[in-house]
């Protein structure tokens, strides 16, 4: 019996048929691997997730972390689960052997991590942030910083965070006030406050490595004057030893509707409660160049955005599998044409409206998973492709798709969770079943790592036009290629035609929006543009899946049910979701200014 975390058959389809990850083993970095080692890693991840993460998912929601003014208390199961994760070698699964890693392709490593997002998104946040922190330092840190701060994180002895937002600034990073005063020894002393810092305080690790955005006195205003600093919870000696407590103080915990197993904190830097060496301020160390901190931080932010999309996907996916199981086992009612009230009730999966809701969930979550792992595959291509052109194009596509990979699952896999509750009926919104928690957990993801509005501004205002629209043109070519490959299938040829028209419509709409000559008007409805663009991208992902499925059926596969299900989910998306983009593009092309011209006192 398969678990309710994710379908292993679907995961294998995405990895080995759609993304062809076995082909990566021909590259020197992955030469030690094979499908057998990839499957072994997936088996290990699923086992640890099921045995150590899933059992306390409800408990960590009901018994969230508490703060007594001095220390944070977290249920012991969280620490035990993280130890099992670390002992299994999963913290460094994607990293070099040199750092104790497995040197797995990122595509496989992300597939492994998907189990933990589905099993317990709160507990999974601690390694998620630590891995991102380590990756940023590997890309931007000095050799000494990597030796001092990365190795302990990848070994699981220290954990990491990212500290961007402030109470008065929120997502407007140009307005942050935390300052970093340079010291004679080359270090800095930081003063300020950071809000909404996930995993910002706990005793789950020997140390916490905070990556903090701050301003050096005299720096330019706005985002061009932001620098990045390593600020550990405990000061670290030159030899890597842990010293006295740094002046980083927990001011309080934020209590959220979901992700309750993750401490979410307000941190004060330089408050004066702890004074390392008797001097005021939190000891910090510059990462990269002064005033280039945001560029460094985007390494972690973009990774986190795709990771948020994966988390949203997996919460939707596990909700889908739970509601599917419920629908197959819950008898209720009879078919509309059945007039005999004494006839046996049918399982609710036999009702057309329940099938509709299940099919919608399947289309949302399986499409989102394929997109998210496709983005991971682009990272593997960017890092290891033998040709420079392939590496460059992978980077272009990844940059363009990042807002979609973050926001589309956060919206539509949340809708999948809503449908899962609906299928459970009155039980759905009780705590007798886990689907209500999945919804609450997932509702945070449309806000995590940049709201839909911010992602829309990024996509329309920057991504689709940078480099003369090079990334958008490349995506257009990829869509055209998928449409050509779909021409041979009876079911897929119609989908290809619809996708070709939708992609052309998006390109035309993009041109009209940027020809307006008024940036405020161009970007006024950027969130709708993000939604329309995302639907076209997901239709492309579904066409690729359906084309493969049609080929397998034509070849006479014995797995007819699996592949028929793929084609039916694609058909549903093309019949019920993609047509929405026509009206959305018409609205966008009209340059409607209703929202832009609405005034405060008219509400």
């Amino acid at each position: 019996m398969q678990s309710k975390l994710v379908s292993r058959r679907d995961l294998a389809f995405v990895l080995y048929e759609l993304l062809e990850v076995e082909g990566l083993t021909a590259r020197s970095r992955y030469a030690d691997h094979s499908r057998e080692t990839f499957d072994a890693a997936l088996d290990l991840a699923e086992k640890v997730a099921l045995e150590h993460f899933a059992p306390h998912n409800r408990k960590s929601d009901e018994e969230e972390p508490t703060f007594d003014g001095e220390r944070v208390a977290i249920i012991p199961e969280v620490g035990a689960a993280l130890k099992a994760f670390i002992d299994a070698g999963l913290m460094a699964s994607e990293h070099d052997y040199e750092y104790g890693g497995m040197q797995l392709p990122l595509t496989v490593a992300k597939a492994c991590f998907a189990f933990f997002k589905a099993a317990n998104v709160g507990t999974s946040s601690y390694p998620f942030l630590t891995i991102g922190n380590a990756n940023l330092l590997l890309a931007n840190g000095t050799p000494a910083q990597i030796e001092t701060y990365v190795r302990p994180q990848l070994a699981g002895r220290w954990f990491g965070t990212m500290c961007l937002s402030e109470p008065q600034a929120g997502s407007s990073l140009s307005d942050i006030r935390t300052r970093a005063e340079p010291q004679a020894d080359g270090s800095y002393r930081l003063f300020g406050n950071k809000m909404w810092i996930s995993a910002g305080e706990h005793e789950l690790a020997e140390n916490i490595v905070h990556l903090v955005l701050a301003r050096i006195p005299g720096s330019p205003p706005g985002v061009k004057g932001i620098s990045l600093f390593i600020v550990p919870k405990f000061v670290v000696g030159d030899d890597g030893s842990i010293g006295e407590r740094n002046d980083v103080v927990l001011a309080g915990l934020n209590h959220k509707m979901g992700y309750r197993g993750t401490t979410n904190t307000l941190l004060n830097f330089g408050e004066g409660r702890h004074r390392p060496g008797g001097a005021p301020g939190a000891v910090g160390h510059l990462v990269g160049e002064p005033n280039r901190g945001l560029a460094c931080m985007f390494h972690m932010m973009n990774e986190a955005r795709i990771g948020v999309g994966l988390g949203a996907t997996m919460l939707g996916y596990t909700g889908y599998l739970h509601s599917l199981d419920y629908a197959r086992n819950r008898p209720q009612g009879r078919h509309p044409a059945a007039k005999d009230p004494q006839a046996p009730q049918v399982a609710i999966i036999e009702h057309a409206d329940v099938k509709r809701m299940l099919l919608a969930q399947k289309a949302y979550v399986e499409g989102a998973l394929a997109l998210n792992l496709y983005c991971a595959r682009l990272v593997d291509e960017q890092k290891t492709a033998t040709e420079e052109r392939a590496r460059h194009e992978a980077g272009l596509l990844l940059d363009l798709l990042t807002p979609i990979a973050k926001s589309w699952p956060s919206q539509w896999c949340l809708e999948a969770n809503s449908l899962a509750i609906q299928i459970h009926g009155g039980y759905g919104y009780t705590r007798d079943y886990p689907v209500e928690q999945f919804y609450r957990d997932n509702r945070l993801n449309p806000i995590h790592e940049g709201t839909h509005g911010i992602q829309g501004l990024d996509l329309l205002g920057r991504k689709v036009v940078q480099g003369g629209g090079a990334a958008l043109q490349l995506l257009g070519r990829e869509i055209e290629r998928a449409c050509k490959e779909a021409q041979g299938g009876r079911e897929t040829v119609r989908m290809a035609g619809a996708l070709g028209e939708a992609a052309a419509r998006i390109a035309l709409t993009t041109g009209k929006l940027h020809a307006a000559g008024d940036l405020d008007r161009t970007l006024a409805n950027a969130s709708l543009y993000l939604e329309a663009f995302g639907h076209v991208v997901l239709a492309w992902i579904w066409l690729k899946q359906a084309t493969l499925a049609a080929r397998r059926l034509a070849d006479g596969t014995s797995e007819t049910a699996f592949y028929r299900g793929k084609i039916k989910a694609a058909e549903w998306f093309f019949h019920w979701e993609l047509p929405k983009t026509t009206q959305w593009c018409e609205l966008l092309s009209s340059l409607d200014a209703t929202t832009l011209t609405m005034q405060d006192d008219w509400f």
Side-chain angles (χ1 to χ4, degrees):
M1 180 180 177
Q2 75 167 26
S3 76
K4 296 176 190 173
L5 301 182
V6 65
S7 163
R8 281 297 297 266
R9 181 63 189 91
D10 183 37
L11 196 58
F13 171 79
V14 173
L15 289 174
Y16 301 122
E17 297 179 61
L18 182 67
L19 302 179
E20 299 178 327
V21 295
E22 268 187 286
L24 290 171
T25 61
R27 299 177 183 176
S28 58
R29 178 173 177 79
Y30 309 121
D32 292 341
H33 287 292
S34 63
R35 178 162 180 169
E36 286 71 29
T37 63
F38 293 161
D39 282 341
L42 293 167
D43 290 342
L44 175 63
E46 185 173 29
K47 178 180 171 64
V48 175
L50 286 171
E51 294 181 0
H52 298 279
F53 280 64
H56 72 276
N57 189 42
R58 171 53 57 87
K59 184 177 181 181
S60 61
D61 178 69
E62 294 177 339
E63 301 178 28
E64 61 184 304
T66 58
F67 178 47
D68 63 6
E70 293 294 331
R71 301 175 67 179
V72 170
I74 300 174
I75 60 170
E77 289 88 343
V78 174
L82 294 174
K83 183 179 186 303
F85 181 92
I86 293 161
D87 289 348
L90 293 165
M91 189 74 88
S93 63
E94 72 197 63
H95 292 93
D96 296 352
Y97 298 140
E98 178 189 353
Y99 297 108
M102 298 183 191
Q103 216 157 289
L104 286 173
L106 184 68
T107 314
V108 178
K110 290 301 181 187
C112 289
F113 204 73
F115 290 107
F116 299 97
K117 289 289 191 181
N120 191 319
V121 75
T123 298
S124 75
S125 294
Y126 297 99
F128 170 66
L129 289 162
T130 301
I131 293 166
N133 183 303
N135 287 340
L136 181 150
L137 291 174
L138 283 169
N140 298 283
T142 65
Q145 288 172 340
I146 291 171
E147 185 67 26
T148 301
Y149 296 100
V150 172
R151 287 188 182 277
Q153 290 193 80
L154 294 183
R157 294 189 292 108
W158 299 1
F159 286 178
T161 75
M162 55 192 304
C163 301
L164 290 77
S165 298
E166 297 181 4
Q168 82 292 338
S171 299
S172 181
L173 296 180
S174 63
D175 295 313
I176 66 169
R177 298 174 185 164
T178 299
R179 71 183 195 278
E181 301 280 355
Q183 305 296 300
D185 63 358
S187 68
Y188 289 78
R189 294 282 176 151
L190 275 73
F191 302 85
N193 317 98
K194 293 293 178 179
M195 184 60 149
W196 311 116
I197 309 307
S198 294
E201 176 58 28
H202 53 75
E203 296 184 6
L204 297 167
E206 298 171 12
N207 206 352
I208 302 174
V209 181
H210 300 292
L211 290 176
V212 185
L213 293 180
R215 297 185 183 282
I216 297 172
S219 295
V223 296
K224 294 182 179 180
I226 296 175
S227 300
L228 178 63
F229 300 88
I230 298 169
V231 184
K233 175 180 176 178
F234 292 97
V235 177
V236 180
D238 293 338
D239 59 355
S241 62
I242 295 177
E244 59 188 316
R245 178 69 186 258
N246 206 352
D247 197 6
V248 183
V249 175
L250 175 63
L253 296 175
N254 300 307
H255 299 282
K256 302 184 292 184
M257 68 183 289
Y259 273 74
R260 290 177 175 174
T262 308
T263 58
N264 189 270
T265 64
L266 169 60
L267 298 178
N268 293 341
F269 295 81
E271 182 183 79
R273 189 182 303 182
H274 306 284
R275 296 168 62 89
V283 176
H285 304 278
L286 180 69
V287 178
E289 299 176 13
N291 305 325
R292 295 283 298 162
L294 197 55
C296 293
M297 185 58 92
F298 262 111
H299 189 284
M300 187 172 182
M301 289 167 66
N302 285 332
E303 181 177 333
R305 285 171 174 174
I306 295 174
V308 165
L310 179 62
T313 297
M314 298 317 299
L315 284 166
Y317 209 129
T318 190
Y320 162 59
L321 293 180
H322 277 80
S323 63
L324 177 61
D325 180 70
Y326 183 85
R328 284 172 168 164
N329 292 286
R330 166 69 173 178
Q332 185 174 310
R334 297 159 189 86
H335 293 299
K339 303 301 183 183
D340 182 2
Q342 293 184 320
Q345 293 187 346
V346 298
I348 63 173
I349 199 170
E350 295 298 323
H351 296 304
D353 196 52
V354 174
K355 287 183 181 180
R356 173 189 65 83
M357 291 187 283
L358 288 168
L359 199 47
Q361 289 182 80
K362 180 179 175 71
Y364 297 151
V365 304
E366 291 185 9
L369 179 62
L371 170 64
N372 207 277
L373 293 181
Y374 175 80
C375 288
R377 183 67 171 78
L378 289 175
V379 176
D380 285 324
E381 197 69 12
Q382 191 179 23
K383 289 182 175 180
T384 66
T386 55
E387 296 182 4
E388 172 59 31
R389 179 177 177 179
R391 295 195 296 272
H392 174 69
E393 289 187 346
L396 276 179
L397 271 180
L398 181 64
D399 203 31
L400 178 68
L401 292 176
T402 294
I404 307 301
K406 185 273 175 190
S407 285
W408 199 93
S410 297
Q411 179 172 355
W412 294 99
C413 293
L414 176 65
E415 175 60 20
N417 289 127
S418 179
L419 292 170
I421 291 173
Q422 191 73 14
I423 287 170
H424 279 74
Y427 290 111
Y429 47 71
T430 71
R431 293 200 175 190
D432 297 328
Y433 290 84
V435 289
E436 64 85 28
Q437 183 185 341
F438 298 152
Y439 183 91
R440 286 187 291 103
D441 284 340
N442 215 354
R443 184 57 188 84
L444 277 62
N445 286 320
I447 297 173
H448 276 157
E449 298 308 322
T451 62
H452 288 329
I454 288 172
Q455 303 301 329
L457 292 172
D458 181 42
L459 178 67
L460 178 57
R462 190 169 71 90
K463 297 292 177 63
V464 297
V465 292
Q466 65 185 9
L472 183 61
Q473 293 163 23
L474 175 58
L475 177 62
R477 293 194 295 273
E478 290 295 320
I479 289 174
E480 184 179 357
R481 181 184 305 162
C483 289
K484 287 181 179 178
E485 291 175 352
Q487 294 300 318
R490 179 173 53 83
E491 298 101 335
T492 56
V493 65
R494 293 190 297 272
M495 298 183 206
L499 176 57
E501 292 174 5
R505 196 176 297 118
I506 279 287
L508 183 63
T509 301
T510 305
K512 287 183 178 179
L513 288 168
H514 278 282
D518 180 347
L519 189 59
D520 286 339
R521 198 173 185 117
T522 295
L523 299 178
N525 299 307
S527 290
L528 184 61
Y529 179 85
L530 174 77
E531 197 164 336
F533 197 104
H535 262 48
V536 171
V537 167
L538 265 292
W540 167 54
I541 293 292
W542 265 116
L543 180 62
K544 289 164 70 72
Q545 294 189 78
T547 300
L548 277 172
R551 287 177 187 164
R552 299 293 185 267
L553 289 168
D555 291 341
T557 178
S558 61
E559 296 182 285
T560 55
F562 175 79
Y563 291 111
R564 281 289 170 204
K566 280 291 180 186
I567 291 175
K568 192 57 66 175
E571 287 179 348
W572 187 89
F573 195 88
F574 274 82
H575 289 160
W576 291 90
E577 292 295 339
L578 187 62
K580 296 175 182 177
T581 62
T582 301
Q583 183 187 16
W584 293 341
C585 286
E586 287 176 358
L587 275 169
L588 289 162
S589 296
S590 72
L591 292 169
D592 177 65
T594 303
T595 55
L596 185 64
T597 56
M598 182 65 177
Q599 296 183 19
D600 185 350
D601 59 356
W602 297 351
F603 282 101

